[in-house]
Amino acid sequence: MRYLIALLLCLAGVTPTLAQTSSPDRMANGFYKLYLQVKPRGIPDVVTREQFDHFLTPSLVDQLENAERAEVRHFNATQNQEPPFFEGDVFSSLFEGATSYKVDTCTVEGPRAYCDVDLTFVEEAGARPTRWSDKLVLIKRIGGWKVDDIRFGGAWDFAQHGSLRATLRDIIRYAGE
């Protein structure tokens, strides 16, 4: 019971308030604040995903659920003898993910907003940082803005390219083959 109460109190600290979702930049900052706290790796499981649900459009949540089911099917079919379809940070260009962020410009175009986000990864103090920019795509919904996609902007050879939705579609498609 104590564990449940502690978990609920922790989640209350990162659940978006109306103020956090009333503008694209506030939603983007809320999303990345949670992202840095949770540090998700791979396709988020149900517990991790539920923490992000308040920030994401229902269709993106559905796509994440489908990708997780695809990973589970793959795991079971290969008896864990093959790696997952996706490893690393699904929410950024860099496998290791980001250790800091800065929401730059958010441009609103009707019911959509595009936020440039400057991300940095530093492995250890004094190490050379890796910097890049991804673009958060948000949609205006009843109750505020929600993240609908992330366009990956990393320019190095092994960066994740394309978008979050394209990556999830590939995972779901590969699992069906």
Side-chain angles (χ1 to χ4, degrees), residues 32-41 89 91-102 117-132 134:
Y32 280 104
K33 178 180 176 185
L34 176 63
Y35 162 84
L36 291 180
Q37 290 173 349
V38 174
K39 297 180 175 35
R41 296 297 176 255
D89 182 11
F91 292 124
S92 82
S93 295
L94 187 66
F95 179 90
E96 294 84 356
T99 53
S100 66
Y101 75 93
K102 178 184 176 290
V117 182
D118 298 326
L119 298 151
T120 304
F121 171 75
V122 180
E123 190 165 358
E124 56 190 44
R128 184 174 160 208
T130 301
R131 292 187 171 91
W132 72 99
D134 288 343

Side-chain angles (χ1 to χ4, degrees), residues 23-25 57 59-60 105-115 135-141 144-151 163 165 169:
S23 69
D25 61 318
T57 61
S59 64
L60 183 54
T105 305
C106 290
T107 304
V108 177
E109 296 177 7
R112 291 190 178 273
Y114 304 90
C115 295
K135 187 178 294 279
L136 211 57
V137 179
L138 300 103
I139 293 180
K140 179 81 172 197
R141 300 189 50 89
W145 292 92
K146 300 284 184 174
V147 175
D148 190 57
D149 202 359
I150 301 171
R151 295 180 184 164
S163 72
R165 282 191 176 271
R169 271 192 301 274

